[in-house]
Amino acid sequence: MCRHIFALKWIGNSNLIVTWMMIRSTCILQQQAPDHFINKFKYFSSFLLHYSVPPSSPIEETGEDSASHLLSLLSLPNWQKNPRLKTLIPSISPSHITSLFNDNPNLKPQTALSFFNILSQRSNFRPSVESFASLLTILIKNRFLNVAEKIRISMVKACETDDDARFVLGFLRKMNADDDEEFECKFKLSIRCYNTLLMCLSRFSMIDDMKYVFLEMLDDKIMPNIYTYNSMVNGYCKLGKVDAAGLYVTKIAQAGLSPDTHTYTSLILGHCRNKDVDSAHKVFDVMPKKGCCRNEVSYTNLIHGFCEESRIDEALKLFHQMGDDNCFPTVRTFTVLISALSKSGRTAEAWALYSKMSEKSCEPNAHTYTVLIDAMCKEKKLNDARKLLYVMEAKGVEGTVVTYNALIDGFCKEGKVESAFEMLKRMEKKRLKPNVRTYNGLIGGYCKGDNIHKAMALLDKMMKMKLSPTVITYNLLINGQCKHNHVDSAYRLIGLMKENGVAPDEWTYSSLIEALCKRGSVEEAHLLLKEKGIKANEVTYTTLINGYFQIGKADLSMGLFKEMLTNDFSPNSWTYNVLIHGLCKEDKIQEALMLIGKMIKIGFEVEITTYTIFIEHLLKSFDFFEAHKLFNQLGASGLKPDVCTYTSFILAYCTQGMIKEAEDMMNEMIQKGVKPDTATYTVFIDAYSHAGQINCGFDFLKRMMDAGCEPSQHTYAIILKHLLRKNYKSNTGIDNVIPVNTVWKIMEFDDAIELFSEMVKRGCELKVNTFDALTKGLCKERRLEESLKLVNHMLTNGISPNESIYTSLVNCSCYLKMFDKALSLVNNMVENGILVDLESYKLLICGLYEEGKHEKGEEVFCSLLDGYNSDEVVWTILLDGLLKRGLVKRYFELVGVMEEKGCHLNRYTYQMLVDQMGV
């Protein structure tokens, strides 16, 4: 019977869904499961019910009713001088005023107006449109019409959002209506009120409402004036609807009026919004002929139009002509030009204009500074950008959310997330609320720095702040999960974004496809593209083509390339380089050369990467003559060899024992301004050490570090390989070649000490990265004892372990089932403010449960619930950890723990929990 309940559909009733799940699951468990399963599932079901039913709104306990309190105060004689008023004023909000006036329509109009004016004089009090409306009701009821006219004009001007404008429009219509007997606040709209309302609606681009208000005005037998028509023209022109605006220009003449400067200035704006700056220029030229003076706005609109079309020199020419019309550049004029110059890379001219502002007594505003700060951030001049922020604030110009977002984004893109969070704190101290873009910048910074769990925690914070993540937010997180090869979590994030009403785009899946291809699951990636009906793009195709080449299926790669052309996708240079590299790898040189011919034929300039691919192929067979021949052709083609080109030659020379030739090539690359990279230096270290000149190898390590080039784990493995070989030969007399992949298996702590000693002898600073590289290598081979000796040695040298070292140690301890040690290390991480990787927590918690240490496992789980994204905790610890290991009972227990702790989970995650149980 229980099975038939499955026929129930998801129809949007959460109570029905949860009840169905509870009934059906309980029936199944009663038939198949022991008692403890049933008890735990009841706990789990209550957890689902708790979160599936929308919570009722809590009743706020505010103590004494504010409106009654204020009314009693205003009823007193000389209430303006009452000391209680001074105490109450700071806590009075616009909503309090609205409640007071709405609940007490018989309040004396003089009292209401006086109280409203006292509050409005406060710098931090901004009356809402609702509070204006409640005051108007009292004033009009008592026929205080002169002051009511001023108040309703102020109400219209107070609109800050389109919702405000809609409220005001509805209120004024009721006020103006003849047939609404229930509405007592009757006061016909004046021409001034109509015009102010039209300007307000124009500000929010509410063009349809403007049209109806204009018709209502005519119905009221109110004759439109030039201000009315100009508001209509401006409203349409802001949206680029110049033809519709032209109809109202015609009406101006029909009414016996003449278009003025504002009319023509709006038309200039309209043409510019239509990307028709030449028509805008014609309107600009005709203005003097029509007897209309151009003003600063006329110039600025046209200058902005030229800038938007990247015709900056024409915009600058206009800027210098402003004086001919006795016009002076405004802060907006300067800012528009500074922005355009900065975006086009003409930063020196932008700064020259900025300097000119003070000469013209035109002070930069927040927008001006923001444009310059953003430009400096894009040029990676982050410290200068931060200094400019301090300069603007010292001048009394407060930065906006956009200003801080530019800095946060700049710091995050350079991996300086801590500096970005300093900006966030400063921003919040200024009472500026972070927006979605703020969090996207921070999430991007964490993902770039391989801190995906911190990025996921920010997603939680966004939701708590009622900020809706965008497709960009999710794409950043999906890309971050894919970088860590957490493909399952990436899939789940796609489900999460769909549940939250965000549609994945082509870039959402491109990260996932790339991750699948990197781990060799190219068929799965290709199938995903077909099954999901994903719209492929050049990036997706190229990723799959590269993936098939990597797994040796060149025919499928070429098939995809043909499909790409058939579907009218234009391959880019990356696509061609992937194909050429793949064909060279398959030794299909003629086909690769044909592709180069095709590239040139369709207008692609052959890049240095393409030539380097061919050079590498020639050098693999040590064909130095042909390789040099191709290398020498680069100059004639106007191309400069890059670090990969030079390193290909250096590797080939070193492999053949031709170290002098390799040195000559390195000297040439440095003379040409090409900096050697980690691979270049490591090749030399290996070559010299292999030739028995290990001291020269260490000298190259010194050169490498002095050049600011960080040695990699492979670099250290190469050095240790040769140290082990040297020591073995001195002990046994046998020169034994040691494969680099065995170094971490056979090295001892003393070998590491010898490495450090040789480094220090040559002035190489021992850094945390050195210890990190060695610890990772040893821990990968489960050699915890030697790793811990290394950590003790680094502590002795005053170097603290980083997150990477701790993670290697924790994971190694768990693999060796040394859970007490792992727990101790985790506690050290927490004490040092280091966020433990969820994968490490998964190993530790699952290990503790498997060892029968249930209380300790639950204790560790409870400790991690703060600071991580709850959905990710479920995915990693519960689903990928406990359930996959068959620890179902413990899984139920921890679901219950999350319920007790009030963890918020997405609906999509709930469904996953149910699905995983086969319910």
Side-chain angles (χ1 to χ4, degrees):
M1 179 191 73
C2 299
R3 296 287 175 186
H4 294 157
I5 301 174
F6 190 80
L8 282 171
K9 305 252 183 208
W10 284 69
I11 58 172
N13 188 323
S14 58
N15 287 324
L16 175 62
I17 294 166
V18 175
T19 306
W20 160 64
M21 288 195 297
M22 290 173 67
I23 294 169
R24 179 175 182 270
S25 303
T26 304
C27 291
I28 293 169
L29 288 170
Q30 283 173 343
Q31 294 168 3
Q32 300 176 1
D35 289 343
H36 67 260
F37 264 54
I38 297 169
N39 293 333
K40 288 299 173 185
F41 202 89
K42 286 177 181 175
Y43 205 19
F44 175 55
S45 299
S46 68
F47 179 57
L48 284 170
L49 185 59
H50 176 73
Y51 284 107
S52 296
V53 181
S56 57
S57 299
I59 298 172
E60 295 181 2
E61 295 180 6
T62 55
E64 188 176 1
D65 181 75
S66 300
S68 300
H69 200 133
L70 289 171
L71 182 63
S72 64
L73 177 63
L74 295 176
S75 301
L76 297 172
N78 296 320
W79 57 267
Q80 296 95 331
K81 297 179 181 180
N82 194 301
R84 284 168 59 199
L85 179 65
K86 191 175 181 180
T87 307
L88 277 175
I89 277 179
S91 61
I92 298 172
S93 69
S95 62
H96 291 138
I97 303 303
T98 305
S99 298
L100 172 67
F101 291 167
N102 284 342
D103 294 345
N104 300 280
N106 295 321
L107 190 68
K108 289 182 180 179
Q110 299 91 335
T111 302
L113 185 61
S114 179
F115 183 53
F116 192 87
N117 287 336
I118 288 170
L119 290 171
S120 298
Q121 288 167 12
R122 279 170 47 206
S123 59
N124 61 345
F125 183 88
R126 300 184 71 168
S128 65
V129 291
E130 291 84 3
S131 59
F132 274 114
S134 62
L135 174 61
L136 277 168
T137 304
I138 293 173
L139 294 174
I140 294 169
K141 182 182 177 182
N142 290 278
R143 310 313 291 166
F144 277 55
L145 299 184
N146 286 336
V147 69
E149 174 70 355
K150 293 176 183 177
I151 291 294
R152 74 177 174 185
I153 295 294
S154 297
M155 175 180 70
V156 177
K157 290 179 178 179
C159 292
E160 293 184 350
T161 66
D162 51 0
D163 284 337
D164 285 348
R166 288 189 189 93
F167 172 85
V168 167
L169 179 58
F171 184 76
L172 291 180
R173 276 176 171 158
K174 286 183 179 180
M175 185 185 291
N176 197 55
D178 294 321
D179 55 353
D180 191 347
E181 296 179 3
E182 294 181 7
F183 194 74
E184 297 179 5
C185 185
K186 298 291 183 183
F187 183 25
K188 297 295 285 185
L189 300 190
S190 63
I191 180 69
R192 186 185 174 202
C193 189
Y194 267 119
N195 286 343
T196 308
L197 179 59
L198 286 170
M199 283 188 278
C200 170
L201 295 172
S202 172
R203 187 153 49 99
F204 296 107
S205 301
M206 297 167 67
I207 197 69
D208 290 335
D209 291 304
M210 288 182 69
K211 185 168 61 176
Y212 287 122
V213 169
F214 183 83
L215 293 173
E216 287 164 15
M217 184 178 178
L218 296 178
D219 288 342
D220 272 352
K221 305 292 188 286
I222 293 179
M223 187 64 67
N225 59 20
I226 189 64
Y227 300 107
T228 317
Y229 289 117
N230 278 346
S231 295
M232 297 303 296
V233 171
N234 185 255
Y236 280 104
C237 285
K238 280 177 70 177
L239 297 175
K241 296 182 177 182
V242 184
D243 291 343
L247 296 175
Y248 288 92
V249 176
T250 304
K251 289 178 187 291
I252 293 174
Q254 290 171 351
L257 303 168
S258 298
D260 62 8
T261 297
H262 297 290
T263 319
Y264 288 112
T265 298
S266 292
L267 290 171
I268 291 169
L269 174 68
H271 286 302
C272 289
R273 290 280 165 91
N274 263 343
K275 308 290 184 188
D276 185 4
V277 70
D278 292 322
S279 293
H281 205 178
K282 287 175 184 175
V283 174
F284 181 82
D285 286 339
V286 87
M287 287 178 73
K289 298 170 187 174
K290 296 289 185 180
C292 289
C293 297
R294 301 161 181 152
N295 63 14
E296 286 81 1
V297 182
S298 314
Y299 272 98
T300 303
N301 283 350
L302 187 54
I303 286 168
H304 188 243
F306 277 124
C307 289
E308 286 292 293
E309 293 295 305
S310 299
R311 294 162 66 174
I312 300 174
D313 291 329
E314 290 170 84
L316 287 168
K317 186 179 177 183
L318 266 180
F319 173 77
H320 294 301
Q321 289 174 1
M322 290 182 77
D324 296 346
D325 279 321
N326 201 30
C327 292
F328 301 95
T330 64
V331 65
R332 174 163 162 72
T333 319
F334 277 108
T335 304
V336 163
L337 283 164
I338 289 168
S339 177
L341 289 165
S342 298
K343 285 175 182 175
S344 62
R346 296 164 66 172
T347 50
E349 292 173 81
W351 282 102
L353 266 183
Y354 168 71
S355 301
K356 199 170 185 177
M357 290 182 78
S358 55
E359 294 173 19
K360 299 284 185 181
S361 301
C362 183
E363 286 300 317
N365 63 13
H367 187 200
T368 318
Y369 283 113
T370 301
V371 164
L372 290 165
I373 286 169
D374 186 54
M376 284 191 284
C377 288
K378 285 182 169 61
E379 291 179 341
K380 301 180 182 180
K381 296 177 180 177
L382 298 171
N383 289 330
D384 291 338
R386 180 162 41 193
K387 286 175 187 173
L388 187 59
L389 174 72
Y390 299 155
V391 167
M392 70 181 277
E393 290 179 344
K395 289 184 176 181
V397 181
E398 289 297 329
T400 65
V401 174
V402 180
T403 317
Y404 283 97
N405 281 353
L407 283 156
I408 287 168
D409 193 54
F411 280 119
C412 285
K413 281 179 178 170
E414 289 302 300
K416 298 179 178 180
V417 183
E418 288 182 9
S419 297
F421 270 95
E422 286 173 16
M423 285 295 116
L424 179 67
K425 287 177 185 175
R426 188 181 183 91
M427 174 183 178
E428 289 175 330
K429 279 183 182 176
K430 302 278 183 183
R431 295 186 178 179
L432 293 170
K433 289 185 178 180
N435 59 18
V436 173
R437 188 166 180 182
T438 316
Y439 278 99
N440 283 349
L442 293 167
I443 286 169
Y446 271 143
C447 289
K448 185 173 183 178
D450 292 337
N451 286 310
I452 184 61
H453 301 317
K454 290 181 181 178
M456 289 292 292
L458 283 179
L459 178 65
D460 257 2
K461 194 172 180 182
M462 281 181 77
M463 305 292 265
K464 286 173 184 172
M465 291 181 68
K466 308 298 182 189
L467 293 173
S468 299
T470 63
V471 68
I472 294 171
T473 317
Y474 286 109
N475 285 354
L476 286 167
L477 291 166
I478 288 164
N479 187 50
Q481 295 285 3
C482 288
K483 274 174 67 179
H484 286 267
N485 199 27
H486 298 164
V487 174
D488 287 344
S489 291
Y491 273 119
R492 289 160 182 160
L493 268 169
I494 292 172
L496 201 70
M497 70 189 288
K498 288 178 180 176
E499 180 64 35
N500 288 335
V502 181
D505 62 11
E506 58 198 75
W507 301 107
T508 309
Y509 289 102
S510 63
S511 297
L512 193 54
I513 286 167
E514 184 182 2
L516 289 167
C517 288
K518 276 184 179 176
R519 70 180 193 184
S521 304
V522 189
E523 286 89 350
E524 184 184 343
H526 200 172
L527 191 64
L528 175 70
L529 192 70
K530 292 175 181 177
E531 285 184 346
K532 297 290 182 183
I534 302 162
K535 185 183 177 184
N537 56 25
E538 291 85 350
V539 174
T540 317
Y541 269 117
T542 306
T543 303
L544 286 168
I545 289 168
N546 188 46
Y548 277 122
F549 270 127
Q550 294 300 320
I551 61 172
K553 296 187 176 182
D555 54 333
L556 291 175
S557 293
M558 296 308 295
L560 270 175
F561 178 60
K562 288 174 184 175
E563 182 186 310
M564 186 178 183
L565 296 173
T566 305
N567 291 335
D568 294 326
F569 284 102
S570 300
N572 54 27
S573 57
W574 177 44
T575 314
Y576 279 109
N577 284 331
V578 162
L579 286 161
I580 290 164
H581 188 268
L583 290 169
C584 286
K585 191 177 173 184
E586 295 286 317
D587 211 24
K588 297 179 179 179
I589 304 301
Q590 288 305 314
E591 290 182 48
L593 288 169
M594 285 171 66
L595 273 177
I596 287 187
K598 192 170 186 177
M599 282 178 74
I600 295 168
K601 189 177 179 181
I602 61 176
F604 270 113
E605 290 186 7
V606 182
E607 298 173 349
I608 186 61
T609 309
T610 314
Y611 278 101
T612 302
I613 291 167
F614 277 102
I615 289 170
E616 281 180 355
H617 180 75
L618 291 166
L619 289 172
K620 278 180 183 176
S621 55
F622 306 112
D623 190 346
F624 291 105
F625 178 78
E626 289 295 332
H628 266 290
K629 189 176 173 183
L630 191 55
F631 182 80
N632 292 331
Q633 288 176 11
L634 296 177
S637 304
L639 294 171
K640 291 182 179 180
D642 63 12
V643 64
C644 296
T645 320
Y646 282 109
T647 303
S648 297
F649 276 101
I650 290 167
L651 176 61
Y653 281 131
C654 287
T655 305
Q656 292 295 97
M658 302 163 69
I659 298 180
K660 183 184 180 304
E661 288 81 354
E663 286 256 26
D664 291 342
M665 189 60 82
M666 185 168 184
N667 291 334
E668 182 184 327
M669 73 185 285
I670 292 169
Q671 286 171 7
K672 295 284 178 68
V674 181
K675 290 183 179 180
D677 64 8
T678 303
T680 318
Y681 284 111
T682 303
V683 167
F684 274 109
I685 291 167
D686 191 26
Y688 273 111
S689 301
H690 185 75
Q693 301 179 56
I694 198 164
N695 288 332
C696 292
F698 273 108
D699 290 340
F700 254 93
L701 179 67
K702 168 68 172 164
R703 283 176 65 180
M704 180 182 192
M705 296 180 82
D706 287 347
C709 191
E710 197 66 46
S712 65
Q713 187 183 20
H714 181 67
T715 310
Y716 288 113
I718 290 291
I719 298 170
L720 285 164
K721 175 186 79 168
H722 292 294
L723 282 176
L724 289 166
R725 178 189 171 196
K726 176 182 73 87
N727 294 338
Y728 186 81
K729 185 177 179 181
S730 64
N731 291 333
T732 65
I734 302 169
D735 189 2
N736 188 25
V737 176
I738 297 170
V740 72
N741 60 355
T742 64
V743 165
W744 310 115
K745 295 177 183 177
I746 62 174
M747 72 162 282
E748 300 294 339
F749 176 66
D750 290 342
D751 298 315
I753 295 299
E754 184 181 358
L755 167 67
F756 301 152
S757 175
E758 293 291 341
M759 288 176 68
V760 171
K761 194 189 297 181
R762 287 164 178 80
C764 296
E765 183 187 355
L766 293 180
K767 299 179 182 178
V768 67
N769 290 344
T770 310
F771 290 95
D772 186 18
L774 270 62
T775 306
K776 273 183 183 172
L778 289 167
C779 285
K780 192 176 179 182
E781 299 298 331
R782 311 288 190 261
R783 300 186 67 197
L784 183 62
E785 186 179 344
E786 288 76 10
S787 300
L788 291 171
K789 285 179 182 177
L790 275 178
V791 172
N792 287 332
H793 186 75
M794 71 184 292
L795 289 168
T796 304
N797 283 273
I799 305 169
S800 298
N802 61 11
E803 181 182 335
S804 178
I805 291 173
Y806 271 121
T807 300
S808 296
L809 294 171
V810 171
N811 293 353
C812 184
S813 300
C814 289
Y815 287 129
L816 295 171
K817 300 190 183 300
M818 297 172 66
F819 298 112
D820 289 340
K821 183 63 187 175
L823 194 53
S824 172
L825 288 163
V826 165
N827 290 335
N828 284 343
M829 290 178 79
V830 173
E831 286 168 11
N832 287 295
I834 299 172
L835 195 74
V836 184
D837 190 271
L838 273 180
E839 291 293 320
S840 300
Y841 267 128
K842 180 178 79 176
L843 290 171
L844 178 56
I845 291 166
C846 290
L848 288 168
Y849 275 122
E850 286 176 334
E851 291 286 302
K853 298 177 180 178
H854 304 151
E855 289 183 8
K856 186 60 70 176
E858 186 174 319
E859 184 184 323
V860 174
F861 183 76
C862 289
S863 71
L864 70 84
L865 291 178
D866 290 329
Y868 294 87
N869 177 280
S870 297
D871 292 297
E872 194 183 21
V873 169
V874 170
W875 303 342
T876 307
I877 309 293
L878 302 187
L879 298 177
D880 293 343
L882 295 173
L883 269 187
K884 284 189 178 178
R885 296 194 187 200
L887 298 166
V888 181
K889 181 181 177 182
R890 307 308 164 198
Y891 161 81
F892 276 126
E893 288 175 351
L894 295 189
V895 167
V897 166
M898 293 190 79
E899 180 193 14
E900 289 171 1
K901 297 287 183 181
C903 296
H904 175 75
L905 297 179
N906 185 276
R907 202 179 151 89
Y908 171 76
T909 302
Y910 295 137
Q911 185 56 42
M912 287 179 64
L913 291 171
V914 176
D915 289 344
Q916 286 294 326
M917 289 307 303
V919 177

